[in-house]
Amino acid sequence: MAALRRHDILDTAADQRFDRIVALVQNICRVPIALVSLVDADRQWFKAKGGVDVDQTALDTSVCALAIRQRDVFQIDDLAVDPRTKAMSLVTGEPHIRFYAGAPLVTRAGQALGRAPSNQMHLLVSRAG
């Protein structure tokens, strides 16, 4: 958290450089949601976002809060099945996120500030009998 505060980036205006990264991730990965997410003490804040209207979410709905503890790309193929994420409101409710992949945003000193995640939503279909 101290490294994040030193960079003085939380709650700052949109930045075209970050917006271009999000657009590139959405295009290359063909996903409806891509974010540059910074994890603070009690929330994740989106420096750049594509496919969502909110600027932040609580950590209890944040896969990024799990991912920031990893040093490499973090991926969960089905959030609805994974015991760490299956009860999260963004999985059980709108936008029903199913897939997560995030790469760490790391300072030169090696401290993780957040993740650059891409999320793939899938429509769930159930069949009777």
Side-chain angles (χ1 to χ4, degrees), residues 5-25:
R5 301 263 182 235
R6 278 194 304 277
H7 281 80
D8 199 27
I9 195 170
L10 284 173
D11 301 311
T12 56
D15 183 319
Q16 288 183 349
R17 296 170 295 181
F18 290 102
D19 294 340
R20 283 194 300 267
I21 292 168
V22 163
L24 185 64
V25 168

Side-chain angles (χ1 to χ4, degrees), residues 54-107:
V54 298
D55 295 324
Q56 65 185 21
T57 65
L59 288 184
D60 63 348
T61 65
S62 170
V63 182
C64 293
L66 298 171
I68 198 169
R69 299 180 192 134
Q70 311 303 314
R71 299 309 289 169
D72 294 314
V73 172
F74 180 74
Q75 179 175 319
I76 299 175
D77 291 324
D78 191 344
L79 297 169
V81 174
D82 191 288
R84 298 167 294 180
T85 57
K86 67 183 181 182
M88 289 182 172
S89 63
L90 297 176
V91 175
T92 61
E94 290 297 327
H96 298 285
I97 297 170
R98 291 294 171 261
F99 173 82
Y100 175 96
L105 303 173
V106 181
T107 68

